[in-house]
Amino acid sequence: MLRILKKGTDKPKSLLAYNFPLTESKLNTLIDSPLLEEGVYSLELFNGESVLVAPSLYREGESVEVPYFPKFRVSHYRITLDKPSFLPLYINESSSLFKQIAAIDESVHVQLVFQKLKDNHKKQFIEQYKSYLEGNDLPFSSSLIRSFQTNAIKVLSKVANYNMKREYIPEIELKILEKGYKFEIKVAILSEKTDIFEEKLQKIIKNMDFYNELSFERIDYHENMRQREFSQYANGQILCESELKCMLLGEYKAEVKPLIQDAIENSLEEVSSERTSTNFIDMLPVGVKKERPFDDATIGKRLLQSIKRVGLKNNTKFKIVSVQQGATLQKITVKLPEGVNYTEIKKKTEDLQNAFGTDSFSIEHGEEPETISILVPCNERDTVHLKELMMTKEFEEFSKKAQLPFIIGVDPVGNLICVDLAEIVHLLVAGQTGGGKSKFLNQLILTILIVMNPKEIMMYLIDPKKVEFKQFGSFPQVQKVITDMSEAAIVFASLELEMESRYEKMAKAGYKKISEYNKKAKNKIPYIVVVVDEYADLFHQHPEVEGYIQTFGGKARAAGIHMIIATQYPLADVVSSIIKENLPSQISFRLKSNTSYKTVFGSGIPYTLLGKGDGVARIEGQQKEFMRFQSPVITVDDTKEVQVCEEIAKLFSEERLEGIGLVKQEKPIDQLKRIIASNKETRIKELQQELGIRINVVSELMRCLVDEGWLEKEEGKKGYSIVASDEELDKWR
């Protein structure tokens, strides 16, 4: 009856089946899998065999053909929770519900479809539980209906003069705080004795009655049973981990501890942001730490010898306070002797570099008074992986408080450096080939994608090279990876309209910024992050984007629109004073010359960067002007990095938010033609004011019109004359 599909039959797509013995160790392995939030899993029991039917990305154990459900001459049933899902079933001293149902008749096939939730149900559970403690026996999930219930209970309490409040219930709190699983149980049986089957089924499910109860109903055959999908009746049907294990294993002893009110309130705080699960972090590659010999005494002695050699020691005594080894650098803290100033040491930097044998030798103020810190390269560098930083307690706490958290890297002694993009508003990133810019941008983007819920953010990734951001295209948070620079210019123009629209929306609601609006509004406004990989390519084709960046620099923050602008070639005409003024936080990796650093920061930097993620940051609001850091990598293998990003993207089941409406945008040269044709204006200064772009850009466009035969340079004069035909001009009027 309930047979196995043969080859060539119409089996469900993207599903694989595995032999799955119902043991506690096997079930724990499944439940602990980071893939369990992706897709719907189905545990099935028939003819004494238990089988797991899983999405194609899950592969473990001996594979078998997918079990087949016939459509005719079979009775089908659905088993559901009778009461709100936050109320628990009986989980102690109970035998396996799954096995008991399958044992009723040899033709019975039991199916449990389930999917691990991302904890965004807990907030609703907590609110229902609070209402339950106030005396509401069946609190609705809808807050509106629940408020009516609460008011009715208050009236009844006054009329009957009876206190309906309950004490805290540990079993309910256990269910709320444990992992949650959406579920649906379906049963198929080939038998004419359905009355006997239903009588036995009722007795079995009755054994799990507690604060909640199970009930069953007969259903018509429907396709989602064969396809291992949820029906509409599964919405709001949730089991906790203890209930799931008890249902499958039986005799499962759950540890029920009295939980105080603070635990529930803390849980409410933790899930209120609805941020994504740490299971995404588990998917990141683990780096292998190198064994690096480290002799702090030898390094300190070598430094003192260098100080003596350059004529600094004389009758004074320098003291090594500490020597610390980081991923890229060694930090030597030195106590200055009396009579020796920081500036004296600083003047000897080049001599000390020569004596120590490295050009990457930098000196900066120490953290304690009368000390200096000297940074020298490690003999052998270590690689910092993104996973190890995202799993730290520091980042976990920071990401809960920040709106748009990302990681810059670690300082010279391994301390984590995190930044909230919502606070620094916009960011400029520079770095030549081999410096680490691309690896930095990729880990930054992936960090935000992992941390931020798809409902909280929209990203637009502008990729002139067409290969840098391709791996992020499948994430629901990413609206589009844009490779056409004309389309990129349209996005900037559209964002300006979106910004104004958001200000109008917030003003009507009485708020000045997005964070205030989102705390109160039912339909929250998502943040928008635009990342441009090579700004020079965009600017040279569409110089008008500089004007949009200038507009966003002062106004976009409160509207939740943020830019990350990166460039490999920080030329002065590209990274102009306008750009630096509106992107006040800057990060640079190794560049070709000190002039390039001055273009980015407005001044030189006190370091010689080593490449491969060794960088320097100047972040708005930080006390220290420059921070040296080592950037993390997702993985050192570019091919594996792409693969990891694509695999993580598959774990998201959410759909993309509706993006901003893109406006039609004229190219600057087309705008120029229209103005000249309509107004007969050819003076560069007047045209520049009307176009709103730099005057040298207008001059370049005018030369292009000369080449096209539109204009002619007047001999001996600065101006231009129109030579285009009347027919051509009419096209643009």
Side-chain angles (χ1 to χ4, degrees):
M1 190 282 299
L2 298 173
R3 59 188 183 275
I4 304 297
L5 276 174
K6 302 300 181 184
K7 289 185 178 179
T9 55
D10 183 23
K11 64 182 178 181
K13 297 179 181 179
S14 302
L15 294 174
L16 295 172
Y18 303 93
N19 283 330
F20 194 89
L22 279 177
T23 63
E24 187 168 356
S25 61
K26 191 72 173 175
L27 189 59
N28 284 337
T29 301
L30 173 64
I31 284 176
D32 291 338
S33 170
L35 302 175
L36 208 59
E37 288 180 358
E38 167 60 20
V40 178
Y41 290 71
S42 180
L43 268 171
E44 304 179 17
L45 193 57
F46 60 98
N47 297 334
E49 297 181 26
S50 49
V51 169
L52 172 70
V53 185
S56 57
L57 55 87
Y58 184 93
R59 299 173 182 271
E60 187 173 318
E62 180 187 350
S63 61
V64 295
E65 291 288 348
V66 180
Y68 169 62
F69 286 91
K71 185 172 182 179
F72 304 106
R73 293 182 292 109
V74 178
S75 299
H76 296 85
Y77 297 86
R78 180 191 301 112
I79 300 173
T80 56
L81 292 172
D82 247 7
K83 298 179 180 179
S85 284
F86 78 95
L87 295 170
L89 295 166
Y90 191 64
I91 58 174
N92 287 332
E93 301 175 7
S94 138
S95 55
S96 169
L97 179 79
F98 219 50
K99 293 177 181 177
Q100 286 186 80
I101 296 173
I104 294 176
D105 190 287
E106 63 180 11
S107 69
V108 169
H109 190 133
V110 192
Q111 179 191 80
L112 166 68
V113 290
F114 64 100
Q115 181 182 35
K116 186 178 178 182
L117 300 174
K118 298 176 182 177
D119 289 348
N120 48 1
H121 66 288
K122 289 187 176 181
K123 183 177 180 181
Q124 177 186 302
F125 271 17
I126 291 167
E127 294 300 333
Q128 287 178 280
Y129 177 47
K130 288 179 178 178
S131 181
Y132 186 79
L133 293 176
E134 292 294 322
N136 186 355
D137 290 336
L138 297 172
F140 273 71
S141 57
S142 166
S143 58
L144 180 62
I145 298 176
R146 206 166 53 242
S147 66
F148 289 132
Q149 291 177 314
T150 301
N151 291 333
I153 289 168
K154 289 179 180 178
V155 172
L156 287 173
S157 297
K158 288 181 179 178
V159 172
N161 195 24
Y162 178 71
N163 184 8
M164 302 179 73
K165 290 187 177 182
R166 296 181 170 98
E167 296 296 323
Y168 285 93
I169 304 166
E171 290 85 359
I172 297 180
E173 295 179 3
L174 174 74
K175 177 158 188 180
I176 293 173
L177 295 176
E178 278 196 349
K179 297 171 186 174
Y181 300 84
K182 181 179 178 181
F183 84 102
E184 188 170 20
I185 300 174
K186 302 163 197 168
V187 182
I189 178 173
L190 177 60
S191 175
E192 295 179 358
K193 300 176 181 179
T194 54
D195 291 343
I196 297 174
F197 172 76
E198 291 175 7
E199 183 180 342
K200 291 181 179 180
L201 180 59
Q202 180 62 41
K203 288 180 180 179
I204 291 170
I205 65 175
K206 189 74 175 173
N207 290 331
M208 294 198 77
D209 285 0
F210 196 37
Y211 289 94
N212 214 324
E213 300 170 3
L214 291 171
S215 64
F216 70 88
E217 61 178 331
R218 192 163 178 174
I219 58 174
D220 293 330
Y221 175 83
H222 45 80
E223 188 65 12
N224 63 35
M225 189 168 188
R226 188 178 70 86
Q227 293 286 354
R228 278 77 183 179
E229 295 175 345
F230 288 117
S231 71
Q232 60 180 345
Y233 301 99
N235 293 334
Q237 293 277 300
I238 298 171
L239 296 176
C240 68
E241 184 174 327
S242 294
E243 289 173 316
L244 185 67
K245 286 182 175 180
C246 178
M247 194 173 283
L248 295 172
L249 300 174
E251 300 179 356
Y252 177 72
K253 303 290 185 181
E255 186 178 1
V256 182
K257 296 180 179 179
L259 302 170
I260 60 173
Q261 182 180 3
D262 289 345
I264 295 295
E265 291 174 350
N266 289 340
S267 178
L268 177 60
E269 288 181 10
E270 288 174 7
V271 302
S272 61
S273 65
E274 297 185 1
R275 290 267 164 102
T276 52
S277 168
T278 54
N279 285 343
F280 294 107
I281 301 175
D282 293 337
M283 293 287 291
L284 295 173
V286 178
V288 179
K289 284 295 177 185
K290 297 178 180 178
E291 290 292 332
R292 298 186 297 159
F294 177 56
D295 187 346
D296 56 346
T298 301
I299 296 169
K301 184 178 179 181
R302 185 179 164 197
L303 176 64
L304 292 177
Q305 289 173 345
S306 300
I307 290 173
K308 184 177 181 180
R309 192 177 301 165
V310 299
L312 277 169
K313 197 163 185 180
N314 296 328
N315 296 323
T316 60
K317 188 175 181 180
F318 287 79
K319 180 182 178 182
I320 304 295
V321 176
S322 65
V323 181
Q324 299 166 282
Q325 179 175 246
T328 304
L329 303 168
Q330 298 165 110
K331 181 178 179 180
I332 310 168
T333 302
V334 180
K335 178 74 174 177
L336 291 178
E338 189 175 346
V340 178
N341 297 321
Y342 170 78
T343 52
E344 292 179 58
I345 305 289
K346 192 71 175 174
K347 288 176 183 177
K348 293 282 187 176
T349 298
E350 291 187 7
D351 293 334
L352 285 167
Q353 286 176 341
N354 182 263
F356 202 84
T358 176
D359 61 352
S360 184
F361 181 107
S362 58
I363 302 169
E364 57 186 35
H365 291 285
E367 295 175 2
E368 300 294 330
E370 303 299 325
T371 63
I372 60 170
S373 293
I374 296 174
L375 303 177
V376 296
C378 294
N379 293 328
E380 187 176 359
R381 294 174 63 171
D382 198 5
T383 303
V384 180
H385 284 76
L386 178 62
K387 182 172 184 175
E388 66 182 276
L389 301 186
M390 291 193 75
M391 292 185 72
T392 60
K393 190 69 175 176
E394 293 90 339
F395 182 73
E396 181 185 350
E397 293 176 355
F398 179 79
S399 62
K400 287 178 182 177
K401 299 174 184 176
Q403 298 299 318
L404 293 168
F406 71 91
I407 293 170
I408 289 181
V410 292
D411 70 10
V413 295
N415 296 316
L416 182 67
I417 304 174
C418 303
V419 171
D420 185 354
L421 184 61
E423 292 296 324
I424 66 170
V425 194
H426 310 298
L427 180 66
L428 174 65
V429 182
Q432 68 181 51
T433 302
K437 173 179 67 70
S438 294
K439 290 282 188 183
F440 172 80
L441 288 176
N442 286 348
Q443 68 84 19
L444 184 157
I445 292 168
L446 186 59
T447 300
I448 293 177
L449 291 174
I450 287 176
V451 172
M452 302 293 289
N453 188 289
K455 296 176 183 177
E456 294 181 298
I457 187 170
M458 296 191 295
M459 295 187 85
Y460 289 88
L461 306 180
I462 297 172
D463 182 10
K465 296 178 184 176
K466 302 182 180 181
V467 294
E468 294 297 338
F469 297 151
K470 184 179 179 181
Q471 65 268 30
F472 300 115
S474 298
F475 282 85
Q477 301 94 319
V478 177
Q479 291 292 312
K480 198 167 187 183
V481 178
I482 300 160
T483 56
D484 183 333
M485 293 305 96
S486 295
E487 187 178 356
I490 291 172
V491 168
F492 273 89
S494 304
L495 282 171
E496 185 176 39
L497 297 178
E498 172 68 14
M499 180 180 68
E500 298 300 337
S501 173
R502 289 183 170 202
Y503 272 116
E504 289 178 13
K505 189 174 185 178
M506 290 188 293
K508 287 180 181 178
Y511 299 104
K512 294 182 179 179
K513 54 186 180 180
I514 187 172
S515 57
E516 295 174 351
Y517 180 91
N518 283 345
K519 284 179 182 178
K520 303 292 184 182
K522 182 179 180 181
N523 297 318
K524 294 177 172 52
I525 300 174
Y527 287 90
I528 295 176
V529 176
V530 181
V531 185
V532 182
D533 178 51
E534 187 44 70
Y535 173 67
D537 289 355
L538 174 60
F539 173 74
H540 285 139
Q541 294 182 52
H542 293 276
E544 71 272 17
V545 297
E546 185 180 68
Y548 293 121
I549 292 174
Q550 186 174 16
T551 301
F552 296 146
K555 295 178 64 178
R557 175 178 185 171
I561 299 173
H562 304 273
M563 297 178 295
I564 299 171
I565 306 295
T567 182
Q568 188 175 346
Y569 307 104
L571 304 174
D573 66 324
V574 176
V575 185
S576 64
S577 58
I578 292 174
I579 295 296
K580 284 185 286 191
E581 183 180 334
N582 290 284
L583 305 176
S585 293
Q586 300 108 18
I587 286 175
S588 180
F589 297 94
R590 187 173 62 185
L591 296 170
K592 288 184 177 179
S593 67
N594 197 44
T595 302
S596 296
Y597 292 115
K598 288 180 179 178
T599 302
V600 174
F601 295 109
S603 65
I605 63 171
Y607 312 111
T608 301
L609 299 179
L610 302 172
K612 296 184 178 179
D614 181 26
V616 59
R618 185 170 67 182
I619 304 299
E620 186 181 27
Q622 297 289 333
Q623 290 183 344
K624 195 174 182 180
E625 183 179 13
F626 292 109
M627 294 188 297
R628 185 117 177 233
F629 68 92
Q630 175 63 44
S631 173
V633 298
I634 300 169
T635 173
V636 293
D637 185 335
D638 289 343
T639 302
K640 188 175 181 181
E641 180 177 293
V642 171
Q643 181 184 349
V644 167
C645 291
E646 291 175 347
E647 286 176 354
I648 293 176
K650 291 177 183 177
L651 299 182
F652 286 89
S653 57
E654 293 85 351
E655 295 181 359
R656 283 180 171 87
L657 294 172
E658 184 178 349
I660 60 171
L662 298 182
V663 299
K664 291 183 178 180
Q665 180 76 356
E666 275 188 311
K667 294 180 180 179
I669 196 164
D670 291 341
Q671 286 182 283
L672 187 60
K673 286 179 179 179
R674 180 172 48 77
I675 294 169
I676 292 173
S678 301
N679 303 336
K680 300 296 178 85
E681 181 61 73
T682 59
R683 291 172 296 179
I684 289 179
K685 187 174 181 181
E686 281 68 16
L687 291 170
Q688 183 262 333
Q689 289 176 347
E690 189 154 355
L691 288 169
I693 57 180
R694 279 193 267 166
I695 199 163
N696 61 321
V697 177
V698 179
S699 298
E700 180 62 33
L701 293 173
M702 296 292 276
R703 285 193 286 271
C704 290
L705 291 183
V706 171
D707 293 339
E708 284 189 30
W710 252 71
L711 302 176
E712 187 176 76
K713 190 79 170 68
E714 296 180 355
E715 291 187 17
K717 297 181 181 179
K718 294 183 179 180
Y720 295 84
S721 57
I722 301 171
V723 293
S725 65
D726 290 338
E727 184 180 355
E728 174 67 16
L729 293 174
D730 286 340
K731 292 179 183 178
W732 296 93
R733 290 188 175 114

